[in-house]
Amino acid sequence: VLDRPLAQESRTYWIGGDFRVGWADITLEQRLYDFEDERTMTAEDTDGLDFGGSYLARYDQRRSEQTQAPTSRLGLRGRPLDWFRFDLRYARIDAESDYTMDGEWNGIDFDANPFQTQATNAGTVERVSDLWDLDLAFALRRNVELLVDYARRSFDQLGTIDYVETQTGGTEEGLYIVQGEVKNELDLDHLGLTVDWRATRTFSVALGVGLQERTKLFQLSGPEVTTERTTYRGQLRWRPHKISNLKLDYEQGDTDNPVTQISPTTTDRLRFQADVRALKNLRLGLNWIDRSASNELTYPLGMPTDDTPPADSISTATFDFSSWALFA
């Protein structure tokens, strides 16, 4: 019944460059993404398409969307001192989408009354995202390194809507108007510290902690909410032989003030990876991950496999084996 001719077109323009200035490497990039979409949805001569006593005799809707998203990126990295290096990355995405729709339809409603409806809908959404990433590395000793990573995500969205619907006849006859603005904000800050100790040429240990704070303000979903999360990390790397690599890492995260009452408050992840070059042209890989999530607030996170009440903890394990062969 529904016929949807589509007319979509997207274009991406890009320019960028890499530069070397003294001890610093600089990367600049500018992108423009342009998208257009037009479509129609019609249902002519439906012969009284039945919906439990009501039917749709005619339906016709036309809609269009246009989006432009310019993106600017900056990268700066270097080693100004023998014991210090850094990597800074920044991106800004400023997107705007315009949406229009108009349509009309008529038929018989659920109360057996004939009706005719006309509607128009137009809106604009503006989204601005700022993304910062900074990595610092300090050589405390010849085989001990302190790593500092900082990330910030800032997202602001402003939407306007102008909707008008007029229904003639039918049970819900009348004029319906929705106009206004919707504003959403999301900010996320992360700071991580890691100490990497290369005990020998083939064995190393890394320990770290991460602090994250997220503030969410969605106009249609309640007041501002701030969530804090602490993550503890540990990793062992061992190369017992030149043909094999073994890696074991563990991560635990604790959340204060979860976004919702059913959000996990504690998460754990244990991962083991092995890579072995069995033969000159054959490589084998092993990957095992165990993940668990629990809610100290005792709110259910999901249903277990038996008939017991909903669980407040969930644990899953995955395992995969892979191989690569090179034929020359």
Side-chain angles (χ1 to χ4, degrees):
V1 175
L2 295 180
D3 181 23
R4 303 185 182 184
L6 301 179
Q8 295 181 344
E9 182 178 359
S10 63
R11 297 171 293 272
T12 300
Y13 306 95
W14 172 86
I15 186 173
D18 296 316
F19 310 92
R20 178 78 175 183
V21 181
W23 44 259
D25 292 319
I26 304 174
T27 300
L28 298 175
E29 180 183 308
Q30 182 67 43
R31 289 180 180 265
L32 174 61
Y33 173 73
D34 189 12
F35 173 78
E36 295 180 3
D37 178 18
E38 294 186 4
R39 66 180 66 187
T40 60
M41 300 173 60
T42 62
E44 297 285 355
D45 299 327
T46 60
D47 294 327
L49 184 63
D50 193 354
F51 290 101
S54 65
Y55 67 84
L56 182 66
R58 178 176 175 272
Y59 179 83
D60 186 10
Q61 184 185 94
R62 298 161 295 276
R63 56 179 294 178
S64 65
E65 177 186 346
Q66 183 172 6
T67 299
Q68 287 189 338
T71 301
S72 303
R73 296 183 184 276
L74 168 66
L76 179 63
R77 59 186 179 274
R79 185 190 289 269
L81 302 170
D82 292 339
W83 51 269
F84 171 66
R85 69 178 188 275
F86 71 94
D87 188 356
L88 172 65
R89 302 173 300 281
Y90 170 72
R92 182 180 180 88
I93 306 172
D94 192 351
E96 180 175 333
S97 298
D98 296 312
Y99 169 86
T100 61
M101 184 278 292
D102 66 273
E104 55 271 346
W105 50 96
N106 62 275
I108 302 297
D109 66 13
F110 285 99
D111 294 325
N113 297 315
F115 73 94
Q116 182 175 354
T117 301
Q118 292 182 332
T120 59
N121 186 8
T124 299
V125 177
E126 298 178 0
R127 305 180 185 91
V128 179
S129 301
D130 291 290
L131 303 93
W132 292 89
D133 289 281
L134 176 62
D135 295 323
L136 306 176
F138 303 88
L140 304 182
R141 299 184 62 181
R142 187 170 60 180
N143 62 340
V144 179
E145 196 171 41
L146 173 65
L147 307 176
V148 181
D149 61 283
Y150 171 76
R152 176 171 177 79
R153 303 289 185 263
S154 178
F155 173 82
D156 294 303
Q157 175 175 279
L158 177 63
T160 61
I161 186 173
D162 186 1
Y163 179 80
V164 179
E165 177 182 319
T166 303
Q167 179 170 316
T168 304
T171 304
E172 299 182 356
E173 181 177 16
L175 175 65
Y176 303 90
I177 299 176
V178 178
Q179 294 177 318
E181 294 183 346
V182 176
K183 184 174 178 60
N184 300 323
E185 298 179 2
L186 180 64
D187 294 314
L188 187 148
D189 290 277
H190 167 83
L191 176 63
L193 300 175
T194 303
V195 176
D196 193 349
W197 173 42
R198 296 180 296 278
T200 66
R201 295 181 59 185
T202 60
F203 181 76
S204 62
V205 180
L207 297 174
V209 60
L211 306 174
Q212 174 184 294
E213 181 179 273
R214 183 178 70 168
T215 301
K216 176 184 73 72
L217 177 59
F218 284 1
Q219 186 173 331
L220 298 181
S221 62
E224 179 178 290
V225 176
T226 298
T227 301
E228 297 178 349
R229 181 173 177 80
T230 304
T231 304
Y232 304 95
R233 303 185 296 262
Q235 185 180 88
L236 301 177
R237 300 186 299 272
W238 182 37
R239 188 173 184 178
H241 194 273
K242 64 180 180 180
I243 66 171
S244 60
N245 282 300
L246 304 177
K247 184 166 68 173
L248 178 68
D249 61 82
Y250 173 74
E251 180 178 292
Q252 182 189 68
D254 296 313
T255 301
D256 295 326
N257 304 321
V259 177
T260 65
Q261 292 181 335
I262 63 172
S263 298
T265 54
T266 302
T267 58
D268 292 270
R269 188 198 69 178
L270 179 64
R271 180 174 183 176
F272 173 75
Q273 293 176 285
D275 185 13
V276 180
R277 185 187 295 273
L279 300 172
K280 182 178 180 180
N281 297 330
L282 178 64
R283 183 184 294 270
L284 305 177
L286 176 67
N287 187 33
W288 177 81
I289 304 177
D290 183 88
R291 295 185 179 92
S292 64
S294 61
N295 194 325
E296 297 175 359
L297 303 177
T298 69
Y299 289 97
L301 295 175
M303 292 293 295
T305 56
D306 52 24
D307 295 329
T308 58
D312 56 14
S313 63
I314 296 176
S315 180
T316 60
T318 59
F319 170 84
D320 63 80
F321 175 80
S322 57
S323 62
W324 301 266
L326 176 63
F327 301 96

